[in-house]
Amino acid sequence: MLKSTFTPFFSTIPAKPRFPKPLPSTILRALTQSAPPVRQNTSLTIFPPPTSAYVHLPFCRKRCHYCDFTIIALGSSSSSNQPEDDPRMVNYVQLLCREINATQVKTNPPLETVFFGGGTPSLVPPKLVSSILETLRLKFGLSLDAEISMEMDPGTFDGEKLKGMMELGVNRVSLGVQAFQEELLKSCGRAHGLKEVYDAIEIVGSCGVENWSMDLISSLPHQTPEMWEESLRLTVEARPPHVSVYDLQVEQGTKFGRLYTPGEFPLPSETRSAEFYRMASRTLSDAGYEHYEISSYGKKGYQCKHNLTYWKNKPFYGFGLGSASHVGGVRFSRPKMMKEYNGYVENLENGLVDCGGSKYIDVKDMAMDVVMLSLRTSRGLDLKSFGEAYGSSLVVSLCEVYKPYVESGHVVFLDEQRRAMTVDELNSFKLNEEEIEKSLAYIRLSDPDGFLLSNELISLAFAVVSP
Amino acid sequence: MGFLSRASKTLKPPKNLSLLQTHLTLNPLSSIFRRNPVSTNFNYDPLRLSQAFCSHSRQSSKENAVDLSQYPAERIRNFSIIAHVDHGKSTLADRLLELTGTIKRGHGQPQYLDKLQVERERGITVKAQTATMFHKHSFHGADKDGAGEEPSFLLNLIDTPGHVDFSYEVSRSLAACQGALLVVDAAQGVQAQTVANFYLAFESNLAIIPVINKIDQPTADPERVKAQLKSMFDLDASDALLTSAKTGQGLEHVLPAVIERVPPPPGKSESPLRMLLLDSYYDEYKGVICHVAVVDGMLRKGDKIASAATGQAYDILDVGIMHPELTSTGVLHTGQVGYVVSGMRSTKEARIGDTLHHNKTIVQPLSGFKPAKHMVFSGLYPADGSDFEALNHAIERLTCNDASVSVARESSTALGLGFRCGFLGLLHMDVFHQRLEQEHGAHVISTIPTVPYIYEYSDGSKVEVQNPAALVANSKKQVTACWEPTVLATIIIPSEYVGAVITLCSERRGQQLEYTFIDSQRAFMKYRLPLREIVVDFYNELKSITSGYATFDYEDSEYQQSDMVKLDILLNGQPVDAMATIVHNLKAQRIGRELVEKLKKYIDRQMFEITIQAAIGTKVVARETISAMRKNVLAKCYGGDVSRKRKLLDKQKEGKKRMKRVGSIDIPQEAFHELLKSS
């Protein structure tokens, strides 16, 4: 009975197949109150098949001091441009292709985005990348205008290699510059220096990569406001159509985690770190970038389509060591250890695992994912579709909990035309289902104040969804 | 009559209502838990959960053969042991029970030892209110009858609480006695609680037998102790007994001294039954069990009795003595002390100090005890607001066996629904909290303990204020006067600490009443102190400035007029009712600053700036600011792996859940706990 009523679970953004039947809010309320795990079938009418794929290429020359991703450090023996026959890469890519092939697919619309993340995907020889793309193409099909991104690190590619990648279809480069100061690059353990940064920018330009992103990290140890300002200025001067600004997270188990405490020297204080974030927001906005997600800036038309699938809570495949997928409503992370991953692929081939579907999905979990992800974007949370999926009373509660933060300038309520509601309007506004439906369409976090405190603000919403 | 006058004498103005037990160690509970469970027969358990072991009547036919009719009043002695903590009261009691064969030496009764163990694990001392012993004795051989047999005496050792937190209960126990063993450690000499207990016994007209214990210690100096007893209490120390309960030395003289020096109970056997209800507790199997002292007349199983207080009638279903387990005898004679089971449904029906008599007879009620007076009040709230019902249930269960806690519902804007509880003292409060948490899994936030003040308003009305929040500014009804409860404190210290202690006491608004030297090394001081000043941390402070050498005891005294004001704590201008406290005007600023600083330390930065203020009325006396949180963002891409973000945010949400929300400010529970610790 419940199954048939569960239709539009993720429709924060009007998904392509619009589901007409809203879930009766009474049922949802009952569900959100008692939180029973809802058994969800993976019927395609409920969860459309993914049109995005994340491919994890874990190889790095060495591990950066801040990094806790799933990587395989190749060591200094592999010189950057001739690892063609490194058996570790060859074997891994073979295994990866086996995983792709063994993935169960019911219908297969062509992929719209592919993202090679790492690790340092640019270390992988084009020949191997080619075999991956070929496998994907055969398995799912690749849309003609598909966005195919690759993370590339300075010093790991030359013009020839980049051209090779482009010929295979890679049309977007995410360049891991991180900083424009020799001493910072060194102290965070990057495998390249400043010269390689400039060379890489030059190569990207000369190869005619039109769609590329400059990736930076703020709040590095010993980073000063002057350094950050310089990095931002040089970034703008390099004219990438997209910039990602990541804020250093000191993770447990990393070298930084052992050496440093957030907010304490040599890391910038919380106040300074917040100032770095504001500087980026200001500088990049002034330079014509839209701050469309907490850590992403793009010129018009250059938002990263692949990453948008994440923020829109849309499904995506994940292939490779430690990668995460979101298929059939289920989020699944692959093993992070090579041996286990190998076993996982074997089981997949033998039909013993199915990483999409046939699991219990909690409605509250889904609602929280939607809130968490959409509030990271400048578009914000779409109240209409959220209300349809999770009940309009939940929308009222969210508005109530955020109301004080509209006054404090952390949250913005927007109407259908994306006009922001003023505090005065809000104060004379009745927060009930009818009124909200009539004049509110989105909730977003303000830039930069709301974004800076997004964890606080989102966890407030969590408490509403799942008290 | 003697007994009656004694009973009433102890009850006169509630002088003997003492709140804080003298032997609080740094952790006030540890002193309870530390106690040896075997000797705990005579330990007072303030919460009375613990009588389980005596709830099982002894079934052995030999024991049932006790014929109480052989013990007329002149062959009965009712006595107690009083001592400063750790002077050996429990061990001595234990030895006496062994000496008379009442319990077996060592681990004789495995099943009740087991039980004790369980209770000990739960951190509760076992209590037996009374133990009956039999002992043969002849007065210097003169009383031997023809057969050469020595007459047997029935001795009731009536427990006094080990914690003078409840000296109200000491006087209750003493009311059923005619004599007391005053036990003093041969090395430590007279201590504060010795003094307090001596006066309680003295005021009850009890025959006092000094016992200098622990004489086996290398540092024992019985002569010095004798001199102290003489100078402090004017006791003839020449007949003091010298014992070591540990080695057994001198113990053989104790019971003969009791029999020879304590008078028999004075009641009339031919008069109608009157008995004093000494104590009660609830037993899961038998229901309410009352401890009683038969003052006049005789009680039999099957009798119908009535309560003088309520008029309610009950059937005596079982009657007997504590030997030390409940031992059914079917009868209790004049002067005897024992238990009755009467089908009462709740301990609330068993009013301590009530007179029980045969139904349909008319007797003059014995002077009863005053009801327990609650001297420390605190709000108890569920840490998680949704757990109110669970807390309610837990409190109900606990108070079932501890009628000495008063409970009233209250609500706080900061903490939601909760309870205002009244306690006999701070230890009592701590134990109650601990048991709520340990036994009932209730997580509570308690508000700053407060003492009951009396406020007089311009319209002439007087109100007892048990909750600072209840003191609301009202222009029509202005406060014209305020009285606060005081205590008379006894402090005994090595003389080198006199200066420090005087400083401490004057900081606490104390008034010195007496200052003498017990001997060349020890000073004795008496102070009148406001109860408020000693309620929280006085004893710890005293211990720490005297390297642990001070001993301290106090008794309840009268109210004194004081300039007490309400100190509000405001967060972003909004008063937090649960944090309000009543302080002396002159100390308001200092305390305000302390509280505000503490809160600043425990409240995390939030999305907006928080001002913390302490204010008297509209006058702000202290202020701190917590600047707004600058940044809490996860600006990092995990290749679509949102589970980490989720985990982080879930954790953050859970953290918030454990906080209390006042307005839009999240206050961690620790902030409330920390406020408790400041005076």
Side-chain angles (χ1 to χ4, degrees):
Chain A
M1 193 283 268
L2 285 176
K3 276 182 202 169
S4 62
T5 56
F6 265 99
T7 30
F9 264 133
F10 57 100
S11 35
T12 36
I13 307 296
K16 266 175 204 145
R18 279 243 29 151
F19 307 112
K21 251 202 304 176
L23 183 67
S25 55
T26 45
I27 291 181
L28 260 171
R29 233 173 279 128
L31 287 170
T32 46
Q33 272 158 20
S34 58
V38 179
R39 190 168 175 87
Q40 198 70 57
N41 73 11
T42 51
S43 150
L44 292 172
T45 57
I46 295 174
F47 297 106
T51 56
S52 294
Y54 174 83
V55 179
H56 194 66
L57 299 174
F59 305 100
C60 286
R61 283 188 296 190
K62 55 184 270 209
R63 187 181 280 278
C64 300
H65 297 343
Y66 52 80
C67 172
D68 71 334
F69 282 176
T70 307
I71 68 148
I72 295 168
L74 296 172
S76 52
S77 63
S78 352
S79 100
S80 63
N81 286 319
Q82 306 124 356
E84 302 285 317
D85 303 315
D86 189 315
R88 289 173 288 186
M89 288 208 200
V90 174
N91 292 341
Y92 176 78
V93 169
Q94 272 178 2
L95 188 60
L96 178 75
C97 291
R98 278 168 58 198
E99 188 198 354
I100 296 170
N101 279 323
T103 300
Q104 290 186 3
V105 178
K106 299 204 170 78
T107 62
N108 49 351
L111 296 175
E112 302 288 342
T113 74
V114 175
F115 194 102
F116 290 103
T120 311
S122 50
L123 280 177
V124 179
K127 199 174 73 186
L128 294 178
V129 174
S130 166
S131 67
I132 300 167
L133 280 170
E134 205 45 45
T135 310
L136 288 172
R137 202 186 312 271
L138 287 172
K139 180 79 181 178
F140 306 101
L142 265 174
S143 189
L144 280 177
D145 59 351
E147 176 195 275
I148 300 174
S149 303
M150 178 177 281
E151 289 180 343
M152 302 185 88
D153 276 5
T156 61
F157 64 97
D158 54 15
E160 191 192 342
K161 188 168 190 180
L162 179 52
K163 281 220 175 71
M165 297 289 191
M166 288 169 73
E167 277 158 22
L168 299 173
V170 173
N171 53 23
R172 186 178 180 275
V173 169
S174 188
L175 191 63
V177 169
Q178 321 309 5
F180 279 92
Q181 292 75 27
E182 194 73 59
E183 64 270 39
L184 292 190
L185 291 173
K186 203 166 176 190
S187 72
C188 61
R190 295 290 292 174
H192 61 83
L194 191 55
K195 183 183 176 298
E196 283 80 10
V197 167
Y198 286 117
D199 287 351
I201 293 171
E202 174 65 30
I203 296 166
V204 169
S206 65
C207 289
V209 179
E210 182 213 346
N211 186 356
W212 66 285
S213 175
M214 178 96 85
D215 299 348
L216 300 175
I217 299 181
S218 67
S219 300
L220 288 168
H222 301 289
Q223 194 173 36
T224 63
E226 291 71 34
M227 293 175 181
W228 183 233
E229 199 179 347
E230 181 185 47
S231 288
L232 289 169
R233 183 171 48 81
L234 293 169
T235 299
V236 171
E237 283 171 10
R239 304 173 68 85
H242 188 282
V243 181
S244 293
V245 180
Y246 299 127
D247 177 68
L248 179 74
Q249 304 286 330
V250 178
E251 303 284 359
Q252 272 189 341
T254 64
K255 188 167 180 185
F256 277 5
R258 286 192 300 278
L259 291 175
Y260 307 131
T261 311
E264 285 177 21
F265 186 83
L267 293 176
S269 67
E270 190 188 289
T271 308
R272 178 166 280 186
S273 174
E275 192 44 41
F276 286 171
Y277 188 88
R278 289 172 198 277
M279 282 166 69
S281 173
R282 198 167 49 234
T283 309
L284 296 172
S285 299
D286 288 352
Y289 294 88
E290 191 204 341
H291 192 180
Y292 71 97
E293 189 268 336
I294 280 174
S295 47
S296 313
Y297 298 81
K299 291 253 165 92
K300 199 166 170 33
Y302 287 95
Q303 298 185 352
C304 176
K305 289 191 191 114
H306 181 83
N307 284 348
L308 280 175
T309 63
Y310 301 156
W311 317 131
K312 291 177 179 178
N313 199 32
K314 283 164 91 173
F316 55 89
Y317 292 114
F319 300 114
L321 191 69
S323 68
S325 61
H326 181 208
V327 178
V330 174
R331 295 190 180 276
F332 175 77
S333 288
R334 277 141 201 81
K336 289 182 169 23
M337 304 299 288
M338 209 53 200
K339 200 175 155 215
E340 281 76 30
Y341 174 63
N342 207 325
Y344 161 79
V345 173
E346 273 171 25
N347 288 339
L348 193 68
E349 287 172 328
N350 298 328
L352 297 174
V353 283
D354 178 4
C355 58
S358 72
K359 292 225 176 97
Y360 291 100
I361 299 168
D362 185 51
V363 185
K364 286 184 191 171
D365 279 344
M366 293 205 292
M368 286 195 273
D369 279 352
V370 170
V371 169
M372 172 178 81
L373 297 168
S374 62
L375 287 181
R376 290 184 68 89
T377 66
S378 61
R379 188 175 189 275
L381 177 66
D382 182 333
L383 297 178
K384 282 215 161 55
S385 56
F386 189 78
E388 281 166 13
Y390 304 105
S392 40
S393 65
L394 199 52
V395 172
V396 177
S397 310
L398 280 177
C399 290
E400 276 168 356
V401 89
Y402 280 142
K403 188 180 164 187
Y405 300 98
V406 174
E407 288 176 38
S408 64
H410 293 101
V411 175
V412 186
F413 286 3
L414 301 156
D415 67 11
E416 203 71 60
Q417 282 70 49
R418 297 201 62 83
R419 195 187 65 86
M421 188 179 246
T422 65
V423 174
D424 286 344
E425 283 169 334
L426 181 63
N427 283 334
S428 55
F429 183 75
K430 270 214 176 74
L431 283 179
N432 61 36
E433 291 179 20
E434 295 78 47
E435 291 297 315
I436 289 172
E437 199 168 322
K438 215 159 58 191
S439 29
L440 281 187
Y442 303 95
I443 293 178
R444 66 156 292 184
L445 307 187
S446 65
D447 173 22
D449 292 344
F451 279 162
L452 266 170
L453 295 174
S454 52
N455 288 351
E456 292 289 317
L457 292 160
I458 292 169
S459 58
L460 285 176
F462 275 21
V464 170
V465 175
S466 172
Chain B
M1 237 4 251
F3 171 66
L4 289 180
S5 60
R6 236 171 274 141
S8 57
K9 196 164 176 187
T10 51
L11 302 170
K12 271 195 315 204
K15 266 188 159 173
N16 38 26
L17 178 46
S18 171
L19 301 171
L20 192 74
Q21 47 116 18
T22 54
H23 51 278
L24 272 172
T25 53
L26 276 171
N27 170 5
L29 298 171
S30 64
S31 56
I32 305 178
F33 304 153
R34 223 178 30 215
R35 302 194 145 239
N36 169 5
V38 179
S39 57
T40 49
N41 296 329
F42 300 96
N43 270 344
Y44 177 71
D45 165 24
L47 299 157
R48 266 175 252 164
L49 224 221
S50 46
Q51 292 86 346
F53 86 87
C54 50
S55 67
H56 295 267
S57 300
R58 207 178 264 186
Q59 294 307 324
S60 109
S61 55
K62 184 183 156 230
E63 295 298 332
N64 274 338
V66 172
D67 178 7
L68 292 183
S69 66
Q70 287 183 6
Y71 298 95
E74 57 272 23
R75 292 256 201 100
I76 298 173
R77 299 291 184 272
N78 295 326
F79 72 105
S80 42
I81 306 176
I82 52 180
H84 188 78
V85 66
D86 287 342
H87 281 196
K89 182 180 91 150
S90 305
T91 321
L92 178 63
D94 210 20
R95 291 293 102 82
L96 296 182
L97 286 185
E98 287 167 8
L99 206 73
T100 54
T102 312
I103 62 171
K104 284 181 191 131
R105 194 177 170 86
H107 41 294
Q109 273 100 350
Q111 77 271 30
Y112 95 65
L113 265 183
D114 283 353
K115 250 195 171 112
L116 289 170
Q117 207 121 32
V118 170
E119 303 207 333
R120 190 189 195 187
E121 275 163 17
R122 297 164 100 203
I124 307 147
T125 342
V126 172
K127 153 200 179 185
Q129 198 58 12
T130 304
T132 299
M133 305 176 281
F134 299 97
H135 187 67
K136 288 191 167 64
H137 178 75
S138 62
F139 287 88
H140 308 296
D143 213 19
K144 270 187 186 174
D145 57 24
E149 185 133 338
E150 289 177 321
S152 178
F153 285 79
L154 185 156
L155 307 175
N156 288 312
L157 174 47
I158 296 171
D159 181 36
T160 59
H163 305 269
V164 176
D165 199 3
F166 307 89
S167 71
Y168 147 76
E169 311 238 2
V170 175
S171 68
R172 175 211 292 173
S173 301
L174 295 186
C177 296
Q178 287 76 41
L181 298 172
L182 178 68
V183 177
V184 185
D185 184 305
Q188 291 184 21
V190 170
Q191 296 294 343
Q193 209 178 323
T194 319
V195 178
N197 281 333
F198 168 79
Y199 282 108
L200 283 175
F202 185 73
E203 283 166 18
S204 305
N205 278 338
L206 301 194
I208 294 169
I209 304 170
V211 178
I212 299 172
N213 192 27
K214 304 198 189 180
I215 54 165
D216 58 308
Q217 297 176 100
T219 51
D221 188 355
E223 289 313 312
R224 190 175 137 238
V225 177
K226 280 185 186 175
Q228 289 177 354
L229 290 171
K230 177 74 186 150
S231 71
M232 297 278 305
F233 307 135
D234 200 23
L235 279 175
D236 179 8
S238 64
D239 61 358
L241 303 174
L242 298 181
T243 63
S244 164
K246 195 172 145 200
T247 64
Q249 192 181 342
L251 286 182
E252 67 278 12
H253 301 301
V254 175
L255 290 178
V258 167
I259 291 167
E260 291 179 16
R261 286 152 72 174
V262 175
K268 298 185 194 76
S269 55
E270 62 280 9
S271 297
L273 170 74
R274 292 200 296 176
M275 55 186 180
L276 194 61
L277 209 167
L278 294 173
D279 195 11
S280 70
Y281 63 92
Y282 188 82
D283 176 86
E284 244 179 89
Y285 303 100
K286 299 191 172 207
V288 177
I289 293 176
C290 298
H291 290 180
V292 294
V294 177
V295 176
D296 296 318
M298 187 171 91
L299 178 75
R300 280 181 208 282
K301 183 175 174 179
D303 283 356
K304 226 180 172 54
I305 58 152
S307 149
T310 63
Q312 191 88 26
Y314 302 96
D315 288 318
I316 297 294
L317 306 173
D318 188 17
V319 56
I321 56 174
M322 285 75 82
H323 189 45
E325 300 105 326
L326 303 185
T327 304
S328 192
T329 57
V331 65
L332 279 178
H333 295 274
T334 306
Q336 291 173 350
V337 176
Y339 74 92
V340 298
V341 177
S342 64
M344 284 184 188
R345 252 168 283 123
S346 140
T347 50
K348 284 177 187 134
E349 291 176 56
R351 300 198 181 179
I352 310 303
D354 194 2
T355 302
L356 301 174
H357 54 87
H358 278 131
N359 197 22
K360 295 188 175 139
T361 62
I362 294 164
V363 297
Q364 177 72 27
L366 301 159
S367 350
F369 305 96
K370 278 176 82 89
K373 198 167 162 194
H374 300 111
M375 293 313 277
V376 179
F377 291 86
S378 152
L380 289 186
Y381 290 85
D384 178 354
S386 58
D387 280 348
F388 176 76
E389 277 314 316
L391 179 60
N392 187 17
H393 184 67
I395 287 180
E396 259 174 30
R397 296 253 322 257
L398 256 185
T399 49
C400 185
N401 253 329
D402 184 7
S404 56
V405 179
S406 74
V407 179
R409 287 196 181 201
E410 71 172 10
S411 73
S412 144
T413 48
L415 300 173
L417 280 178
F419 302 90
R420 177 121 308 239
C421 296
F423 303 95
L424 300 172
L426 211 66
L427 171 84
H428 189 197
M429 182 175 99
D430 278 343
V431 171
F432 192 79
H433 283 183
Q434 184 143 354
R435 292 189 58 203
L436 271 180
E437 302 218 334
Q438 287 181 343
E439 293 169 32
H440 298 275
H443 295 286
V444 296
I445 292 181
S446 65
T447 62
I448 307 179
T450 191
V451 302
Y453 299 95
I454 294 171
Y455 274 84
E456 189 182 68
Y457 292 97
S458 50
D459 64 357
S461 61
K462 278 191 184 177
V463 179
E464 187 181 271
V465 172
Q466 300 172 353
N467 181 355
L471 207 59
V472 189
N474 182 341
S475 54
K476 281 180 197 148
K477 262 178 69 172
Q478 292 199 332
V479 171
T480 51
C482 170
W483 288 265
E484 65 174 332
T486 65
V487 298
L488 289 179
T490 302
I491 300 168
I492 294 179
I493 36 167
S495 40
E496 64 260 39
Y497 297 109
V498 163
V501 171
I502 288 176
T503 307
L504 174 68
C505 289
S506 58
E507 268 170 21
R508 302 299 176 111
R509 299 189 283 129
Q511 179 196 351
Q512 198 182 74
L513 303 176
E514 222 180 308
Y515 172 20
T516 53
F517 283 88
I518 298 178
D519 53 31
S520 59
Q521 291 144 43
R522 282 180 179 272
F524 168 90
M525 297 200 277
K526 245 186 148 68
Y527 267 90
R528 178 185 304 286
L529 283 158
L531 177 61
R532 190 209 183 277
E533 299 290 334
I534 60 165
V535 134
V536 176
D537 61 348
F538 180 81
Y539 189 62
N540 283 343
E541 196 61 37
L542 182 67
K543 276 278 182 196
S544 90
I545 62 169
T546 60
S547 315
Y549 283 115
T551 60
F552 169 68
D553 192 39
Y554 66 87
E555 57 182 298
D556 187 29
S557 184
E558 62 255 32
Y559 273 69
Q560 70 180 18
Q561 195 162 357
S562 299
D563 186 8
M564 304 303 291
V565 294
K566 181 185 177 193
L567 184 69
D568 279 312
I569 298 291
L570 295 89
L571 296 180
N572 282 352
Q574 203 181 342
V576 184
D577 57 359
M579 290 184 179
T581 130
I582 293 175
V583 300
H584 193 269
N585 205 354
L586 294 176
K587 291 185 141 192
Q589 183 161 16
R590 209 197 70 208
I591 294 174
R593 205 171 293 137
E594 240 171 60
L595 293 179
V596 159
E597 272 163 21
K598 234 170 212 179
L599 282 174
K600 180 175 180 171
K601 216 161 82 195
Y602 283 91
I603 296 179
D604 293 325
R605 283 177 166 210
Q606 289 173 30
M607 276 184 270
F608 35 79
E609 188 179 87
I610 301 168
T611 55
I612 311 169
Q613 293 165 307
I616 301 165
T618 53
K619 193 181 101 198
V620 174
V621 296
R623 182 194 155 106
E624 286 282 350
T625 309
I626 301 174
S627 58
M629 181 192 290
R630 307 283 176 206
K631 188 188 106 186
N632 185 3
V633 56
L634 203 61
K636 186 181 183 184
C637 195
Y638 289 104
D641 185 356
V642 303
S643 58
R644 297 175 69 164
K645 294 189 177 84
R646 261 302 290 278
K647 265 188 212 150
L648 186 99
L649 294 169
D650 279 333
K651 217 171 124 191
Q652 192 155 343
K653 180 199 93 179
E654 289 307 314
K656 278 199 202 308
K657 228 166 109 177
R658 285 194 299 274
M659 303 220 198
K660 287 290 166 186
R661 207 135 222 268
V662 178
S664 50
I665 301 167
D666 291 316
I667 307 172
Q669 291 173 24
E670 298 81 63
F672 288 93
H673 294 317
E674 283 305 311
L675 288 187
L676 280 181
K677 291 184 198 157
S678 53
S679 65

